[in-house]
Amino acid sequence: MQSLAQSWRRLPDDGPGAFRPGDRATRFVGRLARDTLTVVLAGGRGTRLAELTHYRAKPAVPFGGKFRIVDFTLSNCINSGIRRIAVLTQYRPYSLTRHINHTWSFLRGEFGEFVELLPASQHVDASSWYVGTADAVYQNLELVHQHHPNLVLVLAGDHVYKMDYGPMLAYHLEQQADVTVGCIEVPIAEAHRYGVLAVDAAGRVVRFAEKPRNPEPAPLRSNRAIASMGIYVFGARFLTEQLESDAHRRDSSHDFGRDIVPRAVHKHRVVAYPFVDVPGDGPGYWRDVGTVDAYWEANMELVEVVPALDLYDPDWPIWTYQEQLPPAKFVFDEDMRRGTAIDSMVASGCIVSGALLRRALLFSGSRVDPRARVEDSLVLPYAWIGERCRIHRAVIDEGCNLPPGTRIGCDREADARRYRVSESGVTLVTPEMLGQPPPPAR
């Protein structure tokens, strides 16, 4: 493996896009991907998404019309040539488990390919579930021992982005790092939500603070900070040693961002890998959709004429479970009763009956009745918008059935008495708020 790393370093520096099909760099990265085990942390509750995660884990929340949030991380793995993936679940795992079983069963076990679901099972200490991200991986170290990877890629399952992990794996070896941290610049005002890095001129991490009150600005950019994306590359042996040591520390919260990485910064070689988007020619698109506002904004970006996240890229498809639904349907062509969608996305199985959509996302199987108007809003799967409803700047959760004439997003004070209104004025509506039963898990 060292000779491969040396071979890669001897290649001429062609800048972004240097990993061309057929050259030695591509073959080297392909071998790295095949020899990497990926662990996806997908057990988080996502409390800042409020009622959207009352019945599902954050990675299982619908996104972009027909996907789930976790589909982006898993698609990145498959598109990067990584086919050994363990998904660690804990909170409300049913819908996530069902979705992954339906979507990712095409991998071939006889070729050493798999997406395995690893629920918290209390098999290390019967008194506790996973108590932190590092503890979750520690409790599943037997998977690392069974598959003997050279590298372990640790990912969060609740972010939306497109990334080729292959160059990051190569960078980890080229830098002879113990830990490589994927990072991206964020506004300094938002940096308190992330792990914040300080790096030297060579890209080595010299300080790491998890969710600091006063984030350290990036060099020469006082309004930006370097944030961890929750993406880590470890050598398998080094990771095992660090997790076993951490497990016996009573002063540890057993978390990668709070414990493992900060300690490694002081004692080992930790480097930062600046994220660039597929196809690798500019700053990367990455969204932590951890609040109702961030979730709404990331979805609404998709209806722009040229969205920052390209879901139509044939070279980097986002894989998901394809329900057997008919095409979307628009009916009626009368004044004030015309099925119309403007700057909108409409998924399969939807019926727009004489209604107007403007900057709206209709997820799979949703319906909008005559003379309704839906603007700047998300209508999640199998919701039904009744006749003459007026919906503005809202998230209508899965399975909601809005009675005719319902008005949402028109009177903030009235909405706040019945629904949840976010800081920026986005109204979240769930079946429970309407006095309706939750939808069946899909």
Side-chain angles (χ1 to χ4, degrees):
M1 186 60 67
Q2 180 61 27
S3 62
L4 281 172
Q6 292 171 345
S7 174
W8 179 77
R9 286 200 298 272
R10 287 196 297 270
L11 288 171
D13 182 9
D14 293 334
F19 296 93
R20 297 180 300 277
D23 65 17
R24 285 179 297 155
T26 300
R27 293 194 297 272
F28 167 54
V29 171
R31 289 188 60 179
L32 279 183
R34 290 193 297 272
D35 199 35
T36 295
L37 174 68
T38 295
V39 178
V40 179
L41 302 170
R45 177 173 179 175
T47 55
R48 293 180 298 157
L49 280 174
E51 288 82 1
L52 283 174
T53 55
H54 275 192
Y55 293 98
R56 52 168 91 91
K58 180 182 173 185
V61 172
F63 186 89
K66 69 174 189 176
F67 307 102
R68 306 289 184 112
I69 292 174
V70 74
D71 289 330
F72 291 85
T73 298
L74 295 178
S75 294
N76 288 338
C77 291
I78 298 302
N79 293 335
S80 299
I82 297 171
R83 301 293 180 99
R84 297 193 294 172
I85 308 163
V87 181
L88 276 53
T89 66
Q90 180 162 276
Y91 172 80
R92 299 283 187 182
Y94 177 74
S95 60
L96 179 61
T97 299
R98 191 171 185 271
H99 174 72
I100 290 177
N101 284 337
H102 283 168
T103 307
W104 302 97
S105 60
F106 63 86
L107 296 179
R108 301 296 298 269
E110 60 267 37
F111 297 149
E113 304 174 351
F114 59 84
V115 174
E116 290 186 358
L117 285 159
L118 300 177
S121 58
Q122 298 181 323
H123 61 281
V124 172
D125 182 350
S127 65
S128 66
W129 297 100
Y130 299 152
V131 295
T133 55
D135 178 64
V137 179
Y138 170 71
Q139 291 201 38
N140 291 282
L141 274 179
E142 61 189 52
L143 184 72
V144 178
H145 300 152
Q146 289 171 0
H147 293 285
H148 307 291
N150 275 344
L151 299 178
V152 178
L153 176 65
V154 178
L155 304 173
D158 56 2
H159 299 145
V160 176
Y161 64 110
K162 296 196 299 183
M163 179 179 182
D164 187 346
Y165 301 126
M168 184 176 177
L169 300 175
Y171 184 79
H172 176 84
L173 287 189
E174 194 270 337
Q175 292 291 315
Q176 299 181 358
D178 296 305
V179 186
T180 299
V181 182
C183 60
I184 191 168
E185 286 194 5
V186 299
I188 194 76
E190 300 176 9
H192 65 278
R193 294 162 42 191
Y194 309 104
V196 175
L197 297 73
V199 300
D200 64 17
R204 183 167 180 171
V205 180
V206 294
R207 287 179 295 280
F208 187 101
E210 182 72 5
K211 299 182 180 178
R213 292 185 178 180
N214 298 300
E216 184 171 350
L220 305 178
R221 292 169 64 85
S222 60
N223 64 338
R224 309 284 288 182
I226 303 174
S228 167
M229 301 167 64
I231 298 174
Y232 309 107
V233 179
F234 295 88
R237 181 179 299 177
F238 179 80
L239 176 64
T240 299
E241 292 171 352
Q242 298 306 303
L243 293 180
E244 289 178 343
S245 174
D246 177 78
H248 295 95
R249 295 181 65 119
R250 294 188 176 183
D251 62 341
S252 177
S253 59
H254 310 299
D255 186 83
F256 281 107
R258 296 185 184 278
D259 305 289
I260 302 295
V261 176
R263 284 201 297 269
V265 166
H266 295 296
K267 299 180 180 180
H268 304 281
R269 181 170 174 78
V270 181
V271 301
Y273 179 79
F275 168 51
V276 292
D277 204 349
V278 174
D281 55 2
Y285 173 99
W286 179 82
R287 298 290 186 271
D288 178 3
V289 289
T291 67
V292 173
D293 284 335
Y295 174 75
W296 177 84
E297 290 169 4
N299 274 281
M300 292 308 304
E301 287 176 338
L302 298 175
V303 304
E304 295 177 1
V305 176
V306 182
L309 175 65
D310 183 7
L311 295 178
Y312 301 89
D313 181 0
D315 296 324
W316 203 266
I318 306 302
W319 304 91
T320 193
Y321 171 59
Q322 299 285 346
E323 293 185 83
Q324 298 304 307
L325 297 173
K329 184 177 182 180
F330 298 78
V331 295
F332 299 123
D333 186 14
E334 307 167 6
D335 290 343
M336 305 301 294
R337 190 172 179 247
R338 180 174 290 115
T340 307
I342 302 169
D343 292 338
S344 298
M345 296 175 68
V346 182
S348 298
C350 292
I351 299 177
V352 181
S353 302
L356 171 63
L357 310 179
R358 190 185 300 274
R359 286 184 50 81
L361 270 78
L362 258 61
F363 289 59
S364 303
S366 295
R367 299 192 175 193
V368 188
D369 281 351
R371 298 180 177 87
R373 190 182 185 100
V374 181
E375 297 179 305
D376 297 296
S377 296
L378 316 179
V379 181
L380 270 55
Y382 298 98
W384 197 313
I385 310 299
E387 190 171 355
R388 293 188 174 85
C389 286
R390 294 291 182 268
I391 313 299
H392 179 67
R393 281 179 63 86
V395 178
I396 310 301
D397 197 7
E398 183 174 359
C400 284
N401 189 340
L402 299 188
T406 300
R407 301 176 70 85
I408 295 171
C410 305
D411 184 333
R412 182 165 180 165
E413 292 185 1
D415 287 346
R417 288 193 292 268
R418 187 172 185 184
Y419 313 118
R420 178 178 293 274
V421 180
S422 72
E423 292 182 3
S424 71
V426 175
T427 305
L428 170 62
V429 181
T430 67
E432 293 81 0
M433 297 173 186
L434 299 168
Q436 299 168 1
R442 289 188 172 88

